[in-house]
């Protein structure tokens, strides 16, 4: 295949499928990290017109590439990319929406049921050889008769809501505005939503508008039978408030797929019996991650073929 006159940089890790597809279309340059002044000469930096990455992309990085046109980010959340600065420099940023919706929604329901019915603890009970001595204790919590609130009725939020409906549970939601065509009850604030439900699922992006929005007040409104699930971003939660709410019984239990400072997990969190933590695996199946990698590559190819990216961020 002929290679268009474009060089694409991969700073740090990139999925093998994206690397392979991009390599058949473009000249690739790879660096171990984003310290471009250390790794690349100024001529090399000037030759780079595209970036495919799952890295923190800041102003300094963008300024180091004077002829950059597109940053194709791996993942739907693009909080690690300074997209506003990129836009000010006429650099298009793309993400990988939609191809992971159902996978992340599946994991969300799995995490919710794991938390409520203690599946990880019950499985450990068998492996530890304790079943012969006694039955596993009845789970204090149940999903039955609960009302579920979804914080962020976007692409993934809607897939989660469909699954909750199939479980026979009512759904309500909060986003900054009601979503057209969505019939679930809308609450105009997160606090009002938390007061009306006893399961709160957070699937909003991590940005300044959502930072620490799940705070002590919201958790206390969820109540002592309340279950909190976070599959969006760790920064959305005031983690000290969450630890305190789980310790004091202000809420009953929580499940987190994302942490503010992942992969670091505090001892305070690990000590909590009523907290289940997963290592950010929402979209992490072989097939879905390959689909995401494919979209990264197709965004770059489309940009240089047609002048339009497939999934530019808003
Ligand atoms: P969408 O953009 O489709 O949906 C985001 C939703 O959040 C919208 O309903 C939006 O509505 C709402 N929202 C955004 N900001 C606020 C705010 N300040 N207050 C209230 N609501 C807000 O994104 P996706 O559904 O595709 O993905 C959501 C997030 O999930 C991603 O950004 C990513 O961080 C996370 N994610 C996590 C994964 C994992 O592995 N755990 C995997 C994939 C995604 P409105 O703007 O109208 O308020």
């Amino acid at each position: 295949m002929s290679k268009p006159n474009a060089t694409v940089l991969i700073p740090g890790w990139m999925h093998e499928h994206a690397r392979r597809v991009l390599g058949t279309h473009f000249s690739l340059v790879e660096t171990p990290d984003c310290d471009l002044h250390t790794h690349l000469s100024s001529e090399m930096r000037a030759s780079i017109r595209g970036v495919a990455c799952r890295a923190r992309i800041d102003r300094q990085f963008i300024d180091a590439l004077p002829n950059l046109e597109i940053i194709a980010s791996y993942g739907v959340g693009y909080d690690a990319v300074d997209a506003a600065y990129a836009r000010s420099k006429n650099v298009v940023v793309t993400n990988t929406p939609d191809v992971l919706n159902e996978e992340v929604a599946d994991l969300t329901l799995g995490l919710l049921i794991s938390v409520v019915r203690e599946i990880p603890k019950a499985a450990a009970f068998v492996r530890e050889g304790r079943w012969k001595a006694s039955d596993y204790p009845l789970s204090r919590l149940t999903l039955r008769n609960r009302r579920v609130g979804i914080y962020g009725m976007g692409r993934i939020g809607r897939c989660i809501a469909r699954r909750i409906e199939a479980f026979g549970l009512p759904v309500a939601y909060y986003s900054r505005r009601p979503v057209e065509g969505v019939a679930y009850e809308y609450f105009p604030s997160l606090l009002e939503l938390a007061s009306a439900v006893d399961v709160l699922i957070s699937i909003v992006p991590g940005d300044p508008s959502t930072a620490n929005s799940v705070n002590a007040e919201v958790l206390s409104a969820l109540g002592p039978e309340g279950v909190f699930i976070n599959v969006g971003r760790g920064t959305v939660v005031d983690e000290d408030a969450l630890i305190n709410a789980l310790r004091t019984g202000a809420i009953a239990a929580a499940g987190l797929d994302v942490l503010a400072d992942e992969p670091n997990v505090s001892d305070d969190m690990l000590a909590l019996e009523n907290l289940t933590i997963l290592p950010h695996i929402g979209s992490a199946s072989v097939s879905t991650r390959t689909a995401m990698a494919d979209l990264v590559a197709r965004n770059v190819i489309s940009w240089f073929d047609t002048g339009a990216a497939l999934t530019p961020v808003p």
Side-chain angles (χ1 to χ4, degrees), residues 75-79 95-98 100-101 104 107 151-158 173-179 202-211 213 230-233 257-258 280-284 289 292 314:
V76 66
Y78 54 95
D79 38 308
N95 62 346
T96 62
D98 289 319
L100 42 57
N101 292 351
V104 179
L107 191 278
Y151 175 25
M153 190 54 75
R155 290 170 293 242
I156 302 171
R158 286 196 288 274
Y173 75 102
Y174 164 64
S175 306
R176 285 169 294 193
R177 55 196 77 82
V179 181
S202 177
I203 182 67
V204 283
D207 65 24
S209 77
T210 57
S213 52
N230 190 13
V231 279
R233 279 292 181 267
D257 185 43
V258 285
H280 201 149
I281 56 168
S283 65
R289 286 290 172 88
M292 291 162 60

Side-chain angles (χ1 to χ4, degrees), residues 5-108:
N5 184 23
T7 299
V8 172
L9 168 68
I10 298 178
W13 181 90
M14 179 43 65
H15 193 288
E16 190 47 41
H17 175 77
R19 185 184 277 120
R20 200 167 45 243
V21 176
L22 288 168
T24 62
H25 286 77
F26 306 102
S27 303
L28 292 189
V29 172
E30 303 202 30
T31 53
D33 54 48
C34 290
D35 188 358
L36 302 188
H37 287 282
T38 300
H39 301 302
L40 302 177
S41 66
S42 59
E43 291 92 68
M44 183 60 90
R45 284 189 277 110
S47 74
I48 288 163
R49 294 170 59 201
V51 165
C53 60
R54 188 188 68 174
R56 186 154 292 284
I57 302 295
D58 58 15
R59 285 167 183 237
Q60 205 186 2
F61 180 98
I62 294 167
D63 285 340
L65 302 172
N67 296 310
L68 184 60
E69 296 172 38
I70 180 168
I71 299 168
S73 181
Y74 174 85
V76 66
Y78 54 95
D79 38 308
V81 178
D82 191 338
Y85 190 67
R87 191 179 313 120
S88 77
K89 294 281 173 178
N90 281 328
V91 175
V92 171
V93 176
T94 66
N95 62 346
T96 62
D98 289 319
V99 293
L100 42 57
N101 292 351
E102 306 290 347
E103 195 81 82
V104 179
D106 288 345
L107 191 278
T108 307

